[in-house]
Amino acid sequence: MHTPTMTEMLMKVRGQALFAFVRFWSRRWTGAGPSAESQRGRDVMVVEAVHSLSEQSRPTSVNDLARELGLDQSGVSRMVSRAEQQGFVVRRAPGRIGAASVITNTAAGEKLLRQAHAWQDEVLRTLTADWPAEDVETLMTLMERLVRAQNAADGAATLKAH
């Protein structure tokens, strides 16, 4: 029987802390308030993903969004339909048979995104108000590094699948 080392035990706790952190913030990141939180959060997720993918200068489909969000295509399709009904995105029919619809943000979607980003920045400022500037910089650097590592892992997994 394997007895866990102190490093293994600490990594387990740290891994749990990471996912507790993710769960906590995934339920709070829009600033829309408790009654609108889950729906508005999904709208922001769609608009954020469309914005991110559009920065790569390529058309965005429901399948692209599903990959970006790490969710199933049918769920993302429902999220896009809601965001479309709210006026945050537009889904344009494909130009040819068999092609995917192209999804773009509207002016209202971009406004929603700016509001969500402003709220996110304010939350960070509030939570770190009494932190030394170096600690805030370290936090930001490490979070960016974590995202890059996940993107690299996602890229490697995609390559293996093909």
Side-chain angles (χ1 to χ4, degrees):
M1 179 173 180
H2 173 70
T3 304
T5 66
M6 180 60 84
T7 301
E8 289 171 329
M9 289 188 292
L10 286 174
M11 287 305 292
K12 180 179 178 187
V13 171
R14 289 177 181 157
Q16 292 168 1
L18 170 65
F19 283 89
F21 180 84
V22 168
R23 281 191 307 276
F24 178 84
W25 285 107
S26 70
R27 295 186 301 265
R28 290 167 178 80
W29 71 293
T30 65
S35 63
E37 192 68 38
S38 64
Q39 279 304 145
R40 185 50 49 97
R42 287 189 277 278
D43 294 338
V44 171
M45 286 173 62
V46 168
V47 170
E48 177 75 59
V50 169
H51 179 81
S52 176
L53 291 170
S54 71
E55 287 184 332
Q56 298 172 21
S57 299
R58 61 187 183 107
T60 300
S61 69
V62 169
N63 287 336
D64 294 328
L65 291 173
R67 277 189 298 278
E68 179 74 9
L69 295 171
L71 300 170
D72 66 277
Q73 185 273 338
S74 62
V76 171
S77 183
R78 287 189 297 276
M79 291 168 65
V80 168
S81 291
R82 164 157 163 100
E84 191 174 23
Q85 290 168 357
Q86 297 297 310
F88 299 132
V89 299
V90 173
R91 190 181 334 205
R92 289 188 173 71
R96 64 189 199 313
I97 295 173
S101 296
V102 175
I103 302 159
T104 56
N105 285 339
T106 63
E110 290 296 325
K111 179 179 179 185
L112 175 67
L113 188 58
R114 285 190 304 276
Q115 290 169 338
H117 287 173
W119 179 80
Q120 292 162 6
D121 290 345
E122 182 57 33
V123 167
L124 181 64
R125 275 191 295 279
T126 299
L127 294 176
T128 60
D130 61 346
W131 292 22
E134 306 82 45
D135 287 357
V136 176
E137 187 62 34
T138 299
L139 173 66
M140 299 310 300
T141 299
L142 293 174
M143 285 194 307
E144 290 167 1
R145 189 168 153 195
L146 192 61
V147 168
R148 283 193 310 274
Q150 182 60 57
N151 287 339
D154 289 347
T158 300
L159 289 176
K160 285 182 185 177
H162 289 48

